[in-house]
Amino acid sequence: MTIDIQALIEQRPHLKDPLELYGRWQRFQEEAAELLPKERSAMLPDDSQAYPREKAGAIFRMFVSIFDLPGEQLAPLGQALENGKIDFMRLPLGELPEISALPATADELSMILFLLSRPYFLALRATFPLDGGQWEDGRCPLCSARPALATIVEGPQRHLHCSFCGTSGTYQFIGCPNCGTGDASKLNTIVSDGEPGFRLATCDGCHSYIKIVESSILKEMPLDLADLASLPLDLIAQGQRYERMAPNPIALKKME
């Protein structure tokens, strides 16, 4: 599905900045994909956890340029990537590499690495498609990330969706995917009249939430943009002290 970002900005001018940032990410994804091996079997084992080392420098420079980031300050990150010191597969688990001399907080590094790594994860999904599989313990079967969104399909079935690699799969219909509780007294739903087609599923057991996207919305836009279009719901949930456990497509977990 091709979406005109500018047209979406005109419909939702309050989301101009995040949508423009997503437009930059789209450009980065397209250009990075051209540099990645088409067959993962052609990659050396040492390169399988991040970008191939001979491509890492070019991809990093492309990333810095497209997102207009301070290349000199982030040089230690680029060097770590080229030297094979970063394991992208640890990122969905919330584990960050230790990079000395990098002037970034843990939250800033997490956001940068999420945006930088997404072409890798999308290529991984293309090679190992696991869509439709069961999400054991509420984690993506491909990269082990927590879900970013949920959708309800006929059956009824609940599908969870990963913001790292884009994999979607089934999960039990009742229960929190973040902590596993099925205690109905701890599970609630929040609906906002200003965001038709979306609602929040909250859990008082772990104080987390996940957004639910109705199928009618997915006829208008893909999941990435549905997540961004419903940013006001994130503000509502976080205003009530619920936490988002997985980043949205522009690397945000906390809406401040």
Side-chain angles (χ1 to χ4, degrees), residues 28-254:
F28 171 59
Q29 161 61 19
E30 292 167 0
E31 295 187 15
E34 293 298 316
L35 296 179
L36 295 178
K38 303 307 178 187
E39 298 290 338
R40 289 186 63 85
S41 59
M43 295 172 60
L44 297 173
D46 289 346
D47 290 337
S48 63
Q49 304 304 309
Y51 295 124
R53 295 188 193 183
E54 72 275 11
K55 302 292 186 181
I59 292 175
F60 179 74
R61 290 188 292 272
M62 177 193 302
F63 173 77
V64 167
S65 175
I66 290 175
F67 284 93
D68 194 23
L69 297 172
E72 290 187 5
Q73 293 182 30
L74 295 178
L77 174 58
Q79 292 168 2
L81 192 62
E82 290 186 70
N83 292 334
K85 302 297 184 182
I86 297 178
D87 183 349
F88 283 159
M89 294 301 292
R90 309 308 300 176
L91 301 179
L93 300 174
E95 300 177 15
L96 298 177
E98 293 185 9
I99 303 174
S100 60
L102 187 68
T105 66
D107 285 346
E108 290 169 342
L109 179 59
S110 179
M111 293 174 68
I112 289 170
L113 284 172
F114 174 80
L115 294 170
L116 176 60
S117 67
R118 280 200 79 197
Y120 164 87
F121 282 109
L122 293 176
L124 186 68
R125 178 197 179 197
T127 304
F128 303 107
L130 296 179
D131 289 287
Q134 180 73 17
W135 282 45
E136 300 294 341
D137 300 320
R139 287 191 178 274
C140 173
L142 181 59
C143 72
S144 300
R146 287 295 181 190
L149 296 173
T151 57
I152 306 299
V153 299
E154 290 183 6
Q157 286 186 331
R158 178 165 55 160
H159 282 199
L160 302 180
H161 306 276
C162 178
S163 58
F164 280 86
C165 66
T167 296
S168 298
T170 59
Y171 188 70
Q172 62 195 49
F173 195 72
I174 303 296
C176 173
N178 292 315
C179 72
T181 185
D183 185 345
S185 68
K186 296 180 180 179
L187 304 173
N188 297 290
T189 300
I190 299 175
V191 178
S192 171
D193 292 339
E195 298 295 330
F198 300 93
R199 62 185 185 275
L200 294 164
T202 64
C203 175
D204 291 333
C206 62
H207 303 288
S208 74
Y209 72 93
I210 186 169
K211 287 190 289 189
I212 299 175
V213 184
E214 295 183 3
S215 57
S216 59
I217 295 293
L218 299 182
K219 296 177 182 179
E220 304 174 13
M221 64 186 75
L223 282 163
D224 268 2
L225 288 179
D227 201 346
L228 293 181
S230 55
L231 274 176
L233 275 181
D234 289 287
L235 293 171
I236 291 172
Q238 294 182 18
Q240 298 186 27
R241 299 184 181 274
Y242 293 107
E243 295 183 49
R244 180 178 176 129
M245 305 304 289
N248 70 11
I250 56 172
L252 293 176
K253 287 173 67 175
K254 298 178 182 178

